[in-house]
Amino acid sequence: MNNKRFAKIKRKTKETCITGKIFLDGEGNFKIKTPIPFLTHMLEQFSKHSRIDIKLDVTGDIDVDLHHTVEDTGISLGQAIYDALQDKKGINRFGMAYGVLDEALCRVVLDISGRTYISYNVDFLKKTKGEFDVGLIEEFLNGFVRGGKITLHIDKIKGKNNHHIIESVFKGLALALRQAILKEGKNLPSTKGKI
């Protein structure tokens, strides 16, 4: 990792401790440690397909609930991406992708707008994936858009298997973000002059 589009991650509360760093112009290398194996797996997918190098160490009060750890991880990762984008000059700003895994297909559209908004239209046949409450994915994404100041729309087009649906969300998010953060110019992509 170098310091071109780079940010450190540091969030410490009474509920969680999250540290690490990201490099936006990477190759999708990751070293991710969380106390929730399924979350770790999804973050690894996100890193690989966004090509954002991520080093992340997460601890949290999972003896109470997984909610704090999942949400704070989303906030921390979104904030780090926002910080690494610096002045945002030259980025595409918008990204759109389809995430797919077997029968599951999700559409992800995002805008690095400086405005926080999420439209999450993903339903599941079961409320859990093993011991993981699938409702926590929306909490992660809520935190992610708050930290990253991103507008995000996610729609499940089809899918039955919870693991496949969630992984298609994370792959679609990774591909859309990769498109949005790509630098292809020098100007700020906004008529307001600020993002």
Side-chain angles (χ1 to χ4, degrees):
M1 293 188 189
N2 67 32
N3 60 4
K4 194 173 181 186
R5 292 202 296 171
F6 163 88
K8 290 186 177 180
I9 298 169
K10 188 172 183 181
R11 181 179 175 89
K12 185 167 178 58
T13 71
K14 291 181 180 179
E15 300 162 343
T16 61
C17 181
I18 302 169
T19 60
K21 53 189 173 180
I22 66 165
F23 174 49
L24 296 186
D25 303 301
E27 296 180 7
N29 297 318
F30 54 82
K31 186 175 181 183
I32 298 169
K33 182 181 175 186
T34 84
I36 307 167
F38 186 68
L39 177 63
T40 303
H41 178 51
M42 290 303 108
L43 293 173
E44 290 171 349
Q45 294 293 326
F46 175 79
S47 174
K48 180 58 67 178
H49 297 294
S50 67
R51 295 189 185 162
I52 297 172
D53 292 344
I54 300 175
K55 183 176 181 183
L56 192 63
D57 191 1
V58 177
T59 58
D61 59 352
I62 62 167
D63 53 323
V64 174
D65 192 280
L66 303 186
H67 183 282
H68 300 144
T69 303
V70 172
E71 181 182 36
D72 282 12
T73 301
I75 292 168
S76 299
L77 187 57
Q79 180 69 57
I81 290 167
Y82 182 83
D83 291 346
L85 284 169
Q86 300 164 4
D87 63 11
K88 299 172 198 65
K89 287 183 178 177
I91 65 167
N92 283 336
R93 178 179 160 178
F94 301 96
M96 195 269 298
Y98 289 87
V100 63
L101 180 59
D102 296 347
E103 89 296 347
L105 177 66
C106 290
R107 178 181 58 230
V108 179
V109 182
L110 62 84
D111 175 10
I112 301 172
S113 61
R115 294 184 305 280
T116 299
Y117 179 81
I118 183 168
S119 174
Y120 180 76
N121 300 296
V122 179
D123 63 326
F124 297 92
L125 298 177
K126 295 186 291 183
K127 292 186 178 181
T128 60
K129 188 266 170 223
E131 296 180 2
F132 187 88
D133 176 359
V134 297
L136 291 173
I137 297 304
E138 186 171 7
E139 296 308 314
F140 171 88
L141 294 166
N142 273 315
F144 182 79
V145 300
R146 283 200 320 268
K149 299 180 183 175
I150 292 169
T151 297
L152 178 64
H153 292 258
I154 300 178
D155 298 286
K156 183 184 102 173
I157 295 170
K158 53 186 170 181
K160 296 178 182 177
N161 179 285
N162 283 359
H163 187 131
H164 295 173
I165 294 165
I166 295 166
E167 191 163 327
S168 73
V169 166
F170 273 81
K171 285 179 175 174
L173 178 63
L175 293 169
L177 188 66
R178 179 173 145 195
Q179 188 179 93
I181 66 174
L182 187 65
K183 286 190 87 165
E184 294 188 317
K186 295 180 181 178
N187 297 323
L188 190 69
S190 172
T191 56
K192 293 181 180 181
K194 184 177 182 181
I195 294 180

